[in-house]
Amino acid sequence: MLGLICSCCQLRGKNQIYNTDHSLCVPRDVEELRHWSRAYKEAQTLSERKDIFENHGVRWSSLRLLDYWDPTRMLVVDAMHCILKGVVHYHCQHVLRLNASAPKHCADGLMYAFDWPWIGYEPEAVPELPRLKEKHVPDVSKVQETLCLALEGEDSMTLNQVWTRLDNQATKGTLQFVVHTLELSLQLNTVGVKSRSKAKKVTSTVMKNHFIALLLNWRLQQPLSSVAHILRTGTPEMLSYIQEVIRETQKPSWLDVVPKNYGEAKAGSIKAGEWRTLSSLYFPVALIIRWGDNNGCAPPNNESESGLLLKALDHTMALFQPFGTMLIFGSSICGLCSRILEKVLHVPTFMQ
């Protein structure tokens, strides 16, 4: 769609995906949606339908036959993509940094300059790009982490060092995916990437170096440094303990099995069912023991390291707790809608 990221409101642009300012979520006009839905149905060619969908994000649905149908209010939450592979994935991988790529940066002693609402790799979301091999998927988060590192001040990197790091840790396809998610233009005649001592230049040929240059140009438009305190959540010790909890915890057989080497590149991409098991069982157990216990007592509720980790724990649990109910009722509602569509409106299940 042309920048549309929501079926309910008028927000546009992938950079708005994690925008939590609800005042900007202006509902879409129901009559306008109905108009374009009808136009989609009456379109004579596939090209017309494609244009309508790309510009207005609307297709025809038999539910439009119901006069009271309001698609901005009567929707079912996509539990798999929105919650498990969306919110849970983002919070664990990018906020808490509970993965193997984050500790490597900490071990280098490098500082982060800013945070960014990065989009995780989903091949279905970018069908126009070459599909990444499974072993290269973890490199996406490594590139994204590198782009957030400080370029000025103590424990920072030079542009040449960032260039070399990106060149070493990613393939052309990985870099292309990150460029695509940032919606950067591929138009680039000559780019000079300068450090204190030397410069690198690339031409406009869409090669690996071209994508690196695009990303560094974007990076220079972001904060170069930060004095913000980086809470050490994704330490090697924490990741190792989570893996121990996964290995040692006895779970019901109906829960999805999670890779015992979670957080490492060899574990591959975590599936929706695995995120559900992690957020409902393994993460609560591991985080409560490590961040919520101080020799049998609760950590101090202050700005100390342990106090901040306790706040991170409280925030995480407040995020995870509603998901169980949402997933249960979400599944029930989906099943009910399927039966209504099939029995009442005579819409076959495979067409929904």
Side-chain angles (χ1 to χ4, degrees):
M1 293 186 290
L2 188 63
L4 288 169
I5 60 173
C6 181
S7 301
C8 301
C9 72
Q10 301 178 24
L11 277 181
R12 291 175 177 266
K14 293 181 180 178
N15 62 320
Q16 298 292 331
I17 287 179
Y18 298 102
N19 191 329
T20 56
D21 185 355
H22 298 295
S23 64
L24 300 177
C25 300
V26 180
R28 301 182 67 182
D29 185 85
V30 178
E31 290 303 320
E32 182 183 357
L33 291 175
R34 184 174 288 112
H35 166 77
W36 288 111
S37 178
R38 191 176 298 111
Y40 184 94
K41 179 184 179 182
E42 297 172 353
Q44 300 299 311
T45 65
L46 290 177
S47 177
E48 289 181 67
R49 289 188 168 184
K50 181 179 179 181
D51 289 341
I52 291 173
F53 178 70
E54 289 183 347
N55 287 284
H56 305 283
V58 176
R59 292 191 179 99
W60 168 255
S61 168
S62 296
L63 291 172
R64 303 284 181 183
L65 298 174
L66 303 174
D67 293 336
Y68 59 82
W69 174 248
D70 182 353
T72 67
R73 297 176 60 244
M74 303 173 183
L75 291 175
V76 178
V77 174
D78 181 352
M80 183 178 77
H81 290 97
C82 180
I83 297 178
L84 296 173
K85 301 193 75 173
V87 178
V88 174
H89 169 273
Y90 180 78
H91 183 74
C92 297
Q93 296 277 25
H94 298 282
V95 177
L96 299 181
R97 294 188 171 91
L98 298 176
N99 58 78
S101 62
K104 291 180 181 178
H105 296 306
C106 296
D108 292 340
L110 299 171
M111 291 292 295
Y112 294 98
F114 67 101
D115 200 6
W116 189 264
W118 296 108
I119 298 174
Y121 180 72
E122 288 290 343
E124 296 81 6
V126 284
E128 65 273 24
L129 298 183
R131 191 184 186 96
L132 293 182
K133 294 182 179 179
E134 190 70 23
K135 64 179 181 180
H136 293 148
V137 172
D139 295 339
V140 171
S141 62
K142 294 179 182 179
V143 170
Q144 294 168 341
E145 293 280 357
T146 297
L147 291 172
C148 291
L149 295 176
L151 299 180
E152 288 183 354
E154 188 178 356
D155 299 327
S156 62
M157 301 184 75
T158 65
L159 277 181
N160 275 332
Q161 289 173 329
V162 175
W163 181 296
T164 301
R165 195 180 187 110
L166 292 176
D167 191 27
N168 291 338
Q169 68 186 180
T171 63
K172 174 185 172 182
T174 303
L175 297 166
Q176 185 178 10
F177 172 79
V178 178
V179 168
H180 180 82
T181 58
L182 290 173
E183 299 181 332
L184 302 180
S185 171
L186 295 181
Q187 299 301 320
L188 184 66
N189 295 322
T190 302
V191 175
V193 181
K194 298 183 179 181
S195 68
R196 297 174 183 173
S197 58
K198 56 183 179 179
K200 294 184 179 181
K201 293 187 177 181
V202 297
T203 63
S204 58
T205 307
V206 184
M207 303 296 288
K208 182 178 180 180
N209 283 352
H210 181 86
F211 290 117
I212 295 178
L214 288 171
L215 291 173
L216 291 188
N217 269 357
W218 173 85
R219 175 64 187 87
L220 289 173
Q221 300 172 33
Q222 313 308 319
L224 300 181
S225 62
S226 174
V227 295
H229 175 68
I230 304 298
L231 190 61
R232 290 175 57 82
T233 53
T235 62
E237 294 77 18
M238 187 68 235
L239 182 60
S240 177
Y241 188 71
I242 291 174
Q243 294 173 345
E244 180 183 347
V245 169
I246 294 174
R247 290 194 305 269
E248 302 298 331
T249 302
Q250 296 184 7
K251 68 173 186 63
S253 59
W254 49 267
L255 281 177
D256 289 81
V257 177
V258 175
K260 295 180 180 179
N261 59 343
Y262 163 81
E264 299 178 6
K266 294 181 180 179
S269 298
I270 303 300
K271 300 177 177 60
E274 296 168 351
W275 279 120
R276 181 175 184 174
T277 303
L278 283 166
S279 62
S280 61
L281 176 60
Y282 296 129
F283 282 155
V285 171
L287 300 186
I288 289 174
I289 293 175
R290 295 303 294 263
W291 297 349
D293 179 68
N294 184 13
N295 296 324
C297 301
N301 187 14
N302 54 29
E303 298 303 310
S304 64
E305 188 80 7
S306 58
L308 292 175
L309 287 174
L310 178 62
K311 292 180 180 180
L313 171 63
D314 291 341
H315 177 80
T316 300
M317 296 309 300
L319 189 67
F320 287 168
Q321 285 172 357
F323 289 162
T325 303
M326 293 174 68
L327 292 171
I328 292 172
F329 284 95
S331 300
S332 301
I333 294 173
C334 287
L336 177 61
C337 287
S338 296
R339 289 193 293 274
I340 291 175
L341 289 172
E342 188 169 4
K343 302 299 183 182
V344 180
L345 299 179
H346 309 291
V347 179
T349 303
F350 67 85
M351 292 180 61
Q352 299 168 21

